[in-house]
Amino acid sequence: MKAVVIGAGLGGLSAALALAPMPVVVVSPCELGAGCSSAWAQGGIAAAVGSGDKPEYQFKDTIAVGNGLNDEDIVRQTMDDGPSVIERLEKYGVPFDRDAQGNLSLGLEAAHSKNRIVHAKDATGLAIMMALIKAVRTTPTIEIIENARAIELVLNDGTIHGVILEKGGKEIRLNTPYVILATGGAVALWRDTTVPHENWGGGLALAAKAGATLGDLEFLQFHPTAFDIGRDPMPLASEALRGEGATLITESKERFIDELQARDVVARAIWEQMSQGHRVFLDARTALGTSFAERFPTIYAICKSAGIDPTTAPIPVRPAAHYHMGGIVTDKHGRTDVPGLWACGEVACTGLHGANRLASNSLLEAASFGWHVAEDIKGTPSHEAIEPLREKSNLVHIRDAARRLSPEEKAQRIASIRALMSDNVGVIRDAKGLKSISEELAPFAEVSDRALVGLMIAQSALKREESRGAHYRSDFPDSRAEAVHSRIRLSDLEHLT
Ligand SMILES: Cc1cc2nc3c(=O)[nH]c(=O)nc-3n(C[C@H](O)[C@H](O)[C@H](O)COP(=O)(O)OP(=O)(O)OC[C@H]3O[C@@H](n4cnc5c(N)ncnc54)[C@H](O)[C@@H]3O)c2cc1C
């Protein structure tokens, strides 16, 4: 029986390759390599492979950033996997940078206590994806369906029996007891975002409608300095610029924050300036001057294409939604609580990141869990996968009726949901904004998957009456003594819709 992998980023392709020689279908809404965050990752993949480093040190760094919400067993498992993930990727032909002695070149990123960022120049994600795409295209047991997206999970007594795809206006039903959701994050649901448009949380809607539990949805990492030049998605002005001494200033040249503080602290400081009507700029004129183009060629090219010369003018920036820590709750094998449904990569909430993500742990998580999911499926006979493991779900599975809107109506609906998310579930939240967006989205949640996902995120943020990690409530600025995960199911929304 073929397994079906929905989504073709690092999580999905890792799972498909690890499942071979078991037959697999991989579904991607675009040509392989397009429409996924994995190919956009620049920095690299964190793994304790350097001399003097140990998975235990990376474990400690990850826990320190996660603000009490990491699942320690999952963190340990993932950090221990680091070296074998790098080895596996190299076997597929990923050209990671090495020094003259042949050792992996390891970068250092914020909140890592050791140099452990394995990279391929400044386009690591693209290098990884190119190698894996070549591998999946040449694996005879992997069938690839491009330009198709999953629109419904087929269930029988609460158990996965298949998936329905939409391709070129037609529906295709694939029968399978094994579905792997690897659809990436929900971050394109925000207006100000750094991720591809395909990653708006469609996988969360599919899972929720199938009866799966979602968790920690309120935890979303905002990148403090995305280019504010009217592009969608917004290009990143890397943290490395601040590391090199670039400063954050307002239009009246006022500095307002120590630029090297944690990502969420800097993002909040910028957000506050903007709420007071200021514009914010990243000023690299003194720190980098004429060396800018040589040190940061990609960012320099973006500046030039926007008519900005960063050697003589500051770069306009604003915080943008960047990474979703929450997702479909899974165990250490990537199993969800719906029999026959697994999830891996950014769509999953494994407990690795807790309330905040340590930089470059996300590519590691996607590759590591893709492999764990495959191992688990290979050890799960199809009759076991389709046997109900818990009480039957009575949920009615409704298609995303937004598909029936005209293109103009659909674009308008999407734009308004994205604006609502950025304005009310942004860097700084409060009950007023979260209640207001819930009231706006609730009437559409039954007919629009985007509204449904936005509503679930807003409700999770409303219920967390504290500030922790990436979730900041101006009306509850302190953390509670006890760190508690949030969980939400579709049935929790019944009174709202
Ligand atoms: C600009 C940028 C820079 C980053 N830099 C780093 C970094 O340096 N290091 C790091 O660790 N992380 C980084 N990240 C985060 C990291 O890239 C992601 O967390 C990771 O790639 C997620 O992998 P994934 O396979 O889960 O999702 P993705 O790679 O996003 O793949 C998801 C796939 O699912 C598809 N899909 C979505 N919905 C459907 C549907 N309904 N049906 C079928 N397919 C669907 C998408 O089109 C896509 O193919 C960065 C992210 C961005 C945006």
Side-chain angles (χ1 to χ4, degrees):
M1 190 73 88
K2 282 187 180 176
V4 179
V5 178
I6 313 289
L10 179 55
L13 296 193
S14 300
L17 287 165
L19 277 165
M22 181 175 166
V24 189
V25 179
V26 175
V27 181
S28 169
C30 314
E31 199 181 318
L32 291 194
C36 65
S37 291
S38 298
W40 292 13
Q42 298 163 349
I45 174 164
V49 288
S51 63
D53 198 4
K54 291 182 181 167
E56 182 61 24
Y57 301 154
Q58 193 179 353
F59 168 89
K60 284 189 181 142
D61 295 342
T62 303
I63 297 285
V65 169
N67 288 270
L69 275 183
N70 312 79
D71 179 326
E72 294 201 358
D73 289 342
I74 298 289
V75 182
R76 197 156 271 120
Q77 169 180 295
T78 314
M79 303 304 118
D80 286 348
D81 279 351
S84 58
V85 162
I86 299 300
E87 203 178 310
R88 223 168 22 241
L89 291 174
E90 285 204 302
K91 278 195 186 138
Y92 285 122
V94 181
F96 290 125
D97 295 340
R98 289 183 172 269
D99 62 20
Q101 287 71 46
N103 301 314
L104 284 165
S105 304
L106 300 172
L108 181 64
E109 279 183 353
H112 284 275
S113 57
K114 301 278 177 192
N115 284 46
R116 62 168 74 100
I117 313 303
V118 182
H119 51 84
K121 310 226 163 26
D122 66 350
T124 309
L126 189 62
I128 292 175
M129 288 301 292
M130 289 300 105
L132 295 199
I133 288 169
K134 192 170 170 204
V136 294
R137 287 208 190 276
T138 50
T139 302
T141 49
I142 300 180
E143 181 189 342
I144 301 159
I145 305 184
E146 285 161 308
N147 304 310
R149 54 183 283 267
I151 55 168
E152 189 181 346
L153 297 175
V154 181
L155 287 114
N156 187 5
D157 277 345
T159 297
I160 291 289
H161 274 243
V163 54
I164 296 176
L165 313 180
E166 186 180 61
K167 180 176 163 79
K170 295 206 173 107
E171 290 187 6
I172 306 169
R173 177 174 167 152
L174 303 176
N175 293 322
T176 175
Y178 312 106
V179 170
I180 302 160
L181 283 175
T183 48
V187 181
L189 204 57
W190 277 255
R191 177 193 55 216
D192 303 328
T193 185
T194 63
V195 310
H197 288 144
E198 286 73 11
N199 289 4
W200 54 266
L204 298 181
L206 291 172
K209 289 183 185 179
T213 304
L214 310 188
D216 293 340
L217 292 184
E218 62 277 29
F219 293 109
L220 183 107
Q221 192 171 74
F222 290 84
H223 196 287
T225 55
F227 274 81
D228 191 11
I229 50 173
R231 290 207 193 144
D232 176 25
M234 299 160 76
L236 284 183
S238 157
E239 245 143 21
L241 285 167
R242 279 175 282 134
E244 294 285 335
T247 55
L248 285 164
I249 55 170
T250 63
E251 69 287 348
S252 49
K253 302 188 178 58
E254 300 270 336
R255 270 181 81 182
F256 54 88
I257 179 80
D258 169 3
E259 290 81 1
L260 297 180
Q261 292 210 53
R263 210 174 244 195
D264 53 314
V265 177
V266 178
R268 278 199 295 279
I270 297 176
W271 185 271
E272 269 162 5
Q273 291 296 323
M274 293 176 61
S275 314
Q276 291 160 24
H278 296 294
R279 285 204 74 191
V280 173
F281 299 84
L282 190 59
D283 186 357
R285 289 173 294 184
T286 311
L288 286 160
T290 49
S291 70
F292 197 116
E294 194 193 317
R295 304 283 293 282
F296 295 97
T298 311
I299 302 171
Y300 186 75
I302 295 166
C303 288
K304 292 302 266 184
S305 69
I308 300 162
D309 179 352
T311 65
T312 58
I315 306 163
V317 291
R318 61 158 61 215
H322 184 55
Y323 182 83
H324 199 194
M325 276 75 74
I328 309 163
V329 176
T330 72
D331 67 7
K332 64 180 183 170
H333 308 290
R335 269 187 189 224
T336 73
D337 55 359
V338 174
L341 184 65
W342 284 257
C344 63
E346 199 171 327
V347 74
C349 178
T350 61
L352 171 66
H353 308 293
N356 220 339
R357 173 187 67 135
L358 180 66
S360 291
N361 266 354
S362 36
L363 287 177
L364 175 61
E365 182 188 40
S368 158
F369 271 88
W371 187 83
H372 285 292
V373 162
E375 289 301 299
D376 195 46
I377 288 178
K378 285 192 280 190
T380 306
S382 60
H383 63 85
E384 191 184 317
I386 61 176
E387 245 171 55
L389 298 176
R390 61 179 177 79
E391 85 261 30
K392 292 171 188 168
S393 158
N394 293 320
L395 297 166
V396 181
H397 302 290
I398 327 143
R399 296 276 181 82
D400 185 355
R403 297 180 315 129
R404 290 198 289 273
L405 298 176
S406 72
E408 295 74 30
E409 285 170 324
K410 195 171 172 195
Q412 208 175 10
R413 161 110 27 106
I414 292 171
S416 94
I417 293 174
R418 293 180 70 194
L420 284 168
M421 293 300 287
S422 277
D423 294 343
N424 297 291
V425 200
V427 176
I428 299 180
R429 299 122 183 228
D430 62 19
K432 189 165 166 261
L434 294 168
K435 280 182 187 155
S436 149
I437 185 174
S438 298
E439 279 162 21
E440 296 255 12
L441 295 180
F444 302 105
E446 278 191 22
V447 293
S448 155
D449 281 357
R450 281 181 173 82
L452 173 66
V453 176
L455 181 60
M456 292 181 104
I457 295 172
Q459 284 291 302
S460 303
L462 183 62
K463 286 202 181 120
R464 186 170 290 281
E465 294 185 330
E466 65 163 351
S467 292
R468 180 179 297 277
H471 170 75
Y472 189 87
R473 288 277 302 257
S474 56
D475 44 355
F476 294 97
D478 300 320
S479 298
R480 294 198 161 177
E482 199 190 353
V484 181
H485 289 286
S486 74
R487 297 291 180 250
I488 188 164
R489 302 186 67 208
L490 194 60
S491 49
D492 297 332
L493 297 178
E494 265 161 19
H495 65 287
L496 285 163
T497 53

